[in-house]
Amino acid sequence: MGSLFRSEEVCLAQLFLQSASAYSCVSELGERGLLEFRDLNPKVSAFQRRFVGEVRRCEEMEKTFTFLQQELRDAGRVLAPCPDNPRAPLAREALRVQEQSEQLAQELREVSRNRASLRGRLRDLRQYLHVLREGRRFTSLPASLGSPPRSRALSEREPLLDPSLHQHLDRKINFVAGVIHPWRVSAFERLLWRACRGYLVASFVEMPEPMEDPTTGESITWVIFVISYWGEQIGQKIRKISDCFHCHVYPYPESEATREDTMSGLHSQIQDLSVVLEETEQYLAQVLDKVVLALPTWRVQVQKMKAIYLILNQCSFDVTEKCLIAEVWCPVRDLTQVQDALRQGSYKSGSSVECFVQRIPTSESPPTLIRTNKFTAGFQSIVDAYGVASYQEVNPAPYAIITFPFIFAIMFGDVGHGLLMFLFALWMVLYEDRPSLRQASNEIWLTFFEGRYLILLMGAFSIYTGFIYNECFSKATAIFPSAWSVAAMANRSSWSSDYLATHPFLTLDPNVTGVFQGPYPFGIDPIWSLATNHLNFLNSFKMKMSVVLGIVHMGFGVVLGIFNHVHFRQWHRLVLEFLPEMIFLLALFGYLVFLIFFKWIKFTAANSLVAPSILIHFIDMFLFTSNADNLPLYQGQVPVQTALVVLALASVPVLLLGTPLHLWCRQRSLRSSPATPVAAREQEPLLEGQEAGNSVNATKEDVESRGHGPDAKARDTAAAGSGGRLQHSDLAEIFMHQAIHTIEYCLGCVSNTASYLRLWALSLAHAQLSEVLWTMVMRNGFVRLSYVGGVVLVPVFAAFAVLTVAILLVMEGLSAFLHALRLHWVEFQNKFYVGAGYKLCPFTFTPDPWE
């Protein structure tokens, strides 16, 4: 039975798929996400498989889709995700998708090419028009050549040549005009002057409007140049230099009338091209609309189709090549759904031969499948980060749902901080369906969002432990009246006025009648926050609490090992491993817990001065001695402690030698028994509940080693402690493994118990940091700034809030989380959990099939 407490039963099965319906059947299985396919052609390259042509066709369509998506991106359009979940297309539908996508791509190429050509032509015409307009200022004649000359200052807008000089010139004046990039103007002008030795007159002016650069696509303000020269050789040099600087050179008419006619022609051409370009843009928008509507669906369909053909390439054909055989890992409870999916696929393909699934035996270790939901997924991820559970061993995740937030809260106990964390997680839980939260690109945010339910429980448990510690932003709250009475102490003691004047600190004696009226109803009494020995009291309380909780936590981990032994029917491990482990833990450290509670119950305030030290008693227990200065807690304490130590030491050889000797004797008896068949003796080392068998692609080496390679052998060696029966008969290796396990467990009980003292250390560190932050920020704001008013407290509180979130919530929260993670991985899970398995990865078209 599969559940969160143990991985589901998974079997190896074969699918017999009729060739005509194999595509539809695999498509149906991919929609449901039930099976993990195995490659039956591991030695065949990807280019030699049966459906390589279909895979290449899908890749060609993906290239076409990439081009279409790039065109959409260039047009400034965003491709929305597919609104529905289309199924994989059939063969004829795939041909239609390929034809339509290629047709759209061809139309886009032609329209884009025409648009680019029209834009380039229009840009050239506009540049030519600006060149002619700006060139008139340099080369046009005045209105009347016979008018008397006027003396005036020269300006940039005057003609380059004085018209009165035309009659003195014997040579013809030629012009070169065009546009140049503004960054190249200075270099172009210097090179012209040096190459032509001054036999030219060059003028430069910026274009009135910016235009697009065809190379980079940026909008720049081009520079118009008009160069007048004498001689054809000089003109050739100017044109070559212009080509080197990538200038756009345009023909420049010599006469004014010709220039006017050219400009009027350019105006008409620009208008005609603008109309054509507008119509081209409209047609391009229509084609892009078709792409936006169809591309998301096409992309999903082709991705599914490619995945199906990749799965079909992992199948093998039978001898008749009319049937495909697939090998899959399948959850046993989903076998009926698999058969139904095959039936549906055969019906949709129109095949008269129905496909079917057949379960086959195997000696290989199946993959691990643990179904989770959005609440348990975060806790399961914590366990899987340590190691995926071995097949059908106890899963620590359901127990971590309670123990992990509680251990975190012990180190993070504060009502205020826990409330802030709880509200943050509650906000994520309430708005978890928003796409903006789910589809964020920030990896840190996604980590917090995936663990929102874990953070929610950590905040809730921190509020609870904060009430236990009576701390809210390091300040105590008087929910109930204090159980300590100062008035009774003042009335019944010798506190005089002189005594009060000379003693700033007063001591409350609980032995005085009326001073201590009984325990506080819930948590720690708020009067302790005013006491000078507050830290000493919390040190003793939290240290003992950490030891008690740690031993209980480890003992619970040892108890969980029972479920592994019972499930795998390893009854000898209950007596030879679980029993000595529990005796060793309880005889030593369980007795320590007993001493702590016994001392709390036996000694009161009246006889607390004569209370013995538990630590000294525990040390004397291992030394088999007694200390006269340290009174016993009860009569006969020394003999009891001696018996417990002897019992704990006696459990060590049982733990060390019990399991190896039992297995050795059992294998020896099976080999020497004449009534035991050879096949049964060979089959014995396998896990109970499994049959010996091999898959269709098993090699001879796999058969001889029962499907276990070197990695599997090492995994089985590690799994001998809590997962499965030993797979080897090497006595030395068995003893070596058990010796390592025994040493690790016995020494681990000591080191792990000390490791739980981090609960005490982190709790005190969090409380002290919170108190320091309050004292240095908020207290100074209340005391030193009281005369200014509440306005100054606004930045003071802002600084306190920022430091609280940054240091106490983020840094301290992360520290407590990591320590809680370590306590679960090392101290708790190593008592029963191997984590040597591997996940079941089903073939599915959806991202999370088990959620």
Side-chain angles (χ1 to χ4, degrees), residues 195-399:
C196 300
R197 300 184 179 182
Y199 289 98
L200 55 83
V201 178
S203 298
F204 298 88
V205 64
E206 289 187 351
M207 193 176 293
E209 60 177 349
M211 289 190 179
E212 183 183 8
D213 186 359
T215 305
T216 61
E218 298 178 355
S219 180
I220 60 175
T221 302
W222 295 87
V223 175
I224 300 174
F225 64 88
V226 178
I227 304 172
S228 60
Y229 63 91
W230 293 267
E232 187 62 28
Q233 293 182 354
I234 299 297
Q236 292 178 1
K237 289 184 179 181
I238 294 174
R239 289 183 177 86
K240 289 181 180 179
I241 295 173
S242 301
D243 292 339
C244 292
F245 280 87
H246 303 285
C247 301
H248 301 284
V249 180
Y250 299 99
Y252 194 83
E254 297 180 0
S255 64
E256 185 73 21
T258 307
R259 286 196 293 270
E260 292 295 335
D261 294 340
T262 304
M263 290 174 62
S264 61
L266 290 176
H267 276 293
S268 61
Q269 292 182 33
I270 290 174
Q271 292 178 357
D272 296 339
L273 281 178
S274 299
V275 174
V276 175
L277 181 61
E278 184 178 358
E279 295 178 353
T280 304
E281 294 280 358
Q282 293 178 357
Y283 181 70
L284 178 62
Q286 295 176 2
V287 177
L288 291 177
D289 290 338
K290 296 179 182 179
V291 175
V292 170
L293 293 176
L295 185 57
T297 302
W298 288 351
R299 188 166 57 181
V300 173
Q301 287 180 329
V302 171
Q303 287 175 352
K304 290 184 177 182
M305 183 170 62
K306 182 181 178 181
I308 292 172
Y309 283 122
L310 290 176
I311 290 296
L312 292 177
N313 277 334
Q314 297 180 5
C315 303
S316 64
F317 281 87
D318 63 344
V319 292
T320 62
E321 294 191 357
K322 295 182 179 179
C323 178
L324 277 78
I325 301 175
E327 200 169 276
V328 296
W329 289 111
C330 176
V332 174
R333 77 181 222 182
D334 292 338
L335 284 173
T336 55
Q337 297 187 37
V338 172
Q339 187 61 54
D340 181 68
L342 296 178
R343 189 180 301 110
Q344 292 290 335
S346 301
Y347 174 75
K348 291 179 180 179
S349 63
S351 175
S352 58
V353 180
E354 187 173 317
C355 303
F356 62 95
V357 58
Q358 179 182 357
R359 183 174 178 177
I360 60 175
T362 180
S363 60
E364 300 181 48
S365 178
T368 299
L369 170 61
I370 299 176
R371 303 179 194 261
T372 59
N373 51 38
K374 61 182 180 181
F375 177 77
T376 59
F379 298 95
Q380 190 64 49
S381 299
I382 291 177
V383 175
D384 291 342
Y386 174 81
V388 179
S390 300
Y391 180 62
Q392 289 202 328
E393 75 169 333
V394 172
N395 182 26
Y399 313 103

Side-chain angles (χ1 to χ4, degrees), residues 1-47:
M1 178 179 179
S3 66
L4 188 63
F5 297 91
R6 190 184 303 277
S7 61
E8 291 191 21
E9 184 180 358
V10 178
C11 67
L12 185 65
Q14 285 181 341
L15 304 182
F16 293 89
L17 309 175
Q18 202 267 340
S19 298
S21 59
Y23 180 89
S24 299
C25 291
V26 175
S27 174
E28 188 68 26
L29 292 172
E31 295 292 341
R32 304 193 184 192
L34 301 173
L35 306 177
E36 177 182 351
F37 285 82
R38 303 178 64 185
D39 192 0
L40 301 184
N41 308 300
K43 297 182 180 180
V44 180
S45 65
F47 302 100

Side-chain angles (χ1 to χ4, degrees), residues 400-420:
I401 294 176
I402 299 300
T403 59
F404 190 92
F406 181 66
I407 289 179
F408 170 87
I410 293 174
M411 298 178 281
F412 198 77
D414 190 287
V415 176
H417 301 154
L419 183 61
L420 293 177

Side-chain angles (χ1 to χ4, degrees), residues 436-505:
S436 58
L437 298 181
R438 286 184 170 273
Q439 302 174 2
S441 58
N442 192 310
E443 187 176 356
I444 297 178
W445 165 254
L446 291 178
T447 302
F448 281 110
F449 184 75
E450 293 298 328
R452 58 193 180 278
Y453 289 98
L454 175 61
I455 299 175
L456 184 73
L457 289 185
M458 291 193 304
F461 277 78
S462 298
I463 296 174
Y464 169 74
T465 54
F467 280 116
I468 294 293
Y469 299 155
N470 202 350
E471 291 183 2
C472 182
F473 296 109
S474 78
K475 308 307 291 181
T477 56
I479 302 176
F480 303 100
S482 175
W484 293 79
S485 175
V486 181
M489 190 71 186
N491 295 332
R492 298 174 180 269
S493 65
S494 58
W495 287 355
S496 60
S497 300
D498 297 336
Y499 181 84
L500 295 176
T502 57
H503 292 77
F505 297 102

Side-chain angles (χ1 to χ4, degrees), residues 516-536:
F516 183 67
Q517 301 173 359
Y520 194 67
F522 185 78
I524 296 177
D525 198 306
I527 200 172
W528 282 105
S529 62
L530 306 175
T532 56
N533 60 341
H534 172 60
L535 193 57
N536 294 332

Side-chain angles (χ1 to χ4, degrees), residues 80-278:
C82 186
D84 51 0
N85 185 24
R87 303 181 71 89
L90 299 177
R92 56 181 178 274
E93 295 178 356
L95 291 175
R96 179 182 55 82
V97 170
Q98 183 179 11
E99 181 182 354
Q100 292 181 357
S101 61
E102 290 178 353
Q103 182 179 357
L104 282 178
Q106 184 64 26
E107 289 183 7
L108 276 179
R109 290 189 184 95
E110 294 178 358
V111 175
S112 299
R113 190 184 306 111
N114 294 336
R115 183 185 62 173
S117 177
L118 290 174
R119 283 182 174 180
R121 178 61 180 164
L122 185 61
R123 181 176 58 251
D124 291 341
L125 293 178
R126 287 176 177 174
Q127 288 180 351
Y128 192 13
L129 181 62
H130 284 296
V131 168
L132 295 179
R133 284 177 179 175
E134 299 297 331
R136 284 188 307 181
R137 298 186 304 173
F138 304 113
T139 60
S140 61
L141 298 175
S144 175
L145 295 177
S147 59
R150 293 177 296 173
S151 59
R152 58 189 178 185
L154 296 177
S155 66
E156 294 182 356
R157 296 185 176 274
E158 294 298 325
L160 293 176
L161 301 176
D162 191 349
S164 61
L165 300 177
H166 277 274
Q167 55 186 344
H168 302 291
L169 297 176
D170 298 332
R171 296 182 179 181
K172 179 182 179 181
I173 300 177
N174 298 317
F175 298 94
V176 174
V179 295
I180 187 174
H181 197 282
W183 294 354
R184 305 182 182 130
V185 172
S186 59
F188 178 63
E189 187 175 6
R190 286 195 302 269
L191 187 59
L192 283 175
W193 180 262
R194 293 175 182 175
C196 300
R197 300 184 179 182
Y199 289 98
L200 55 83
V201 178
S203 298
F204 298 88
V205 64
E206 289 187 351
M207 193 176 293
E209 60 177 349
M211 289 190 179
E212 183 183 8
D213 186 359
T215 305
T216 61
E218 298 178 355
S219 180
I220 60 175
T221 302
W222 295 87
V223 175
I224 300 174
F225 64 88
V226 178
I227 304 172
S228 60
Y229 63 91
W230 293 267
E232 187 62 28
Q233 293 182 354
I234 299 297
Q236 292 178 1
K237 289 184 179 181
I238 294 174
R239 289 183 177 86
K240 289 181 180 179
I241 295 173
S242 301
D243 292 339
C244 292
F245 280 87
H246 303 285
C247 301
H248 301 284
V249 180
Y250 299 99
Y252 194 83
E254 297 180 0
S255 64
E256 185 73 21
T258 307
R259 286 196 293 270
E260 292 295 335
D261 294 340
T262 304
M263 290 174 62
S264 61
L266 290 176
H267 276 293
S268 61
Q269 292 182 33
I270 290 174
Q271 292 178 357
D272 296 339
L273 281 178
S274 299
V275 174
V276 175
L277 181 61
E278 184 178 358

